[in-house]
Amino acid sequence: MPVAVPRKLIVLGDSGVYGWGDPEEGGWCERLRRHWMGLPAAPVLYPLGVRGDGLERVAARLQSEVGCRGELRRQRPHGVLLAVGLNDTARVGRPDGRPQLEPEGFLFGLEQLLQRARASAPVLVLGLTPVLEEAMPYAEVLWYGLEQVRRYEALLEEACLEADVPFLPLLDHLLADPRWPQWLCDDGLHLNSDGHRQVYERVRQWPALLAWAGLEPLQLTTALR
């Protein structure tokens, strides 16, 4: 009998994908990986987060990360999920300092990244998580603010609409709950275990991701019980 080749999802991003801040279950992406491992015929998920990565660094490692995870029969991955942008919003040195990546450069680089990624596999994009401005600066030099985070998430959405790429916003959904500051670590930037759980639940039920993964019938059956 031939061996079934599972679908593979590459998740590229920063410390959020890495799972920093969640010593309980390793972050939202690791939670999703474990969840899918328990489902029949679910995709294989590779969490490829690097702390501190912004758009340019993720773009630089796109091809190498995708190209070396073909698994059986040297097949290439079947999907790419991008979760990047929060590090690019930080202002350097002071609250009104220059962004790590200017909005115009961020949008242009994102459009190029989406084009390159789509040449390899279907692409999905995740929005940004909130920050607690009162805790800044991060590492004594980087200032993160909600206004900047909102602006860059809007740029993510704009680029995805233009490229016809599924996009899942996170910021307003999380801010709508008054408990959101409790979902961040003391540094005001990284999600803690509760915060990662919130993102995981939203990503796990994302219709576009379920459709790509072929898990819609299973999800519906579970919901009806």
Side-chain angles (χ1 to χ4, degrees):
M1 293 291 292
V3 178
V5 178
R7 308 192 82 187
K8 292 168 284 292
L9 180 66
I10 303 297
V11 186
L12 289 172
D14 50 28
S15 57
V17 174
Y18 176 81
W20 191 260
D22 182 10
E24 295 180 6
E25 296 191 43
W28 66 263
C29 198
E30 175 66 10
R31 292 167 187 252
L32 183 63
R33 186 185 73 85
R34 295 178 184 179
H35 171 63
W36 278 3
M37 285 181 67
L39 301 179
V44 173
L45 190 154
Y46 286 102
L48 303 174
V50 177
R51 294 185 63 198
D53 264 13
L55 178 68
E56 293 176 333
R57 289 185 178 180
V58 167
R61 61 187 173 94
L62 170 69
Q63 294 304 324
S64 60
E65 298 281 32
V66 171
C68 68
R69 286 175 173 81
E71 285 190 4
L72 304 176
R73 303 178 190 168
R74 300 185 181 274
Q75 292 193 2
R76 296 177 66 82
H78 304 83
V80 176
L81 173 57
L82 297 173
V84 66
L86 189 59
N87 289 316
D88 297 298
T89 73
R91 293 186 178 274
V92 180
R94 58 179 192 265
D96 61 345
R98 63 170 179 81
Q100 295 219 86
L101 183 59
E102 294 286 348
E104 296 78 9
F106 180 79
L107 179 59
F108 176 78
L110 179 61
E111 291 170 341
Q112 297 300 306
L113 176 59
L114 291 178
Q115 182 177 354
R116 290 174 52 213
R118 291 181 68 192
S120 299
V123 179
L124 304 97
V125 177
L126 202 60
L128 305 181
T129 54
V131 296
L132 196 61
E133 297 175 356
E134 294 83 354
M136 297 300 127
Y138 177 74
E140 301 183 358
V141 70
L142 297 177
W143 298 79
Y144 291 83
L146 284 175
E147 181 180 348
Q148 280 288 93
V149 174
R150 189 180 301 280
R151 183 178 185 184
Y152 281 61
E153 189 182 67
L155 293 174
L156 285 167
E157 185 170 17
E158 177 183 339
C160 289
L161 285 172
E162 183 68 25
D164 194 24
V165 167
F167 174 72
L168 180 66
L170 292 178
L171 186 62
D172 284 342
H173 173 80
L174 295 172
L175 290 177
D177 193 311
R179 299 171 298 172
W180 72 264
Q182 302 173 27
W183 299 337
L184 296 173
C185 295
D186 291 341
D187 61 20
L189 174 62
H190 295 98
L191 298 171
N192 59 24
S193 294
D194 290 336
H196 278 282
R197 184 178 301 109
Q198 294 294 324
V199 173
Y200 159 69
E201 290 296 341
R202 186 153 171 78
V203 174
R204 182 176 67 87
Q205 301 175 63
W206 185 10
L209 182 61
L210 289 173
W212 173 87
L215 297 177
E216 293 168 296
L218 180 63
Q219 192 77 6
L220 179 61
T221 301
T222 304
L224 290 175
R225 290 181 178 175

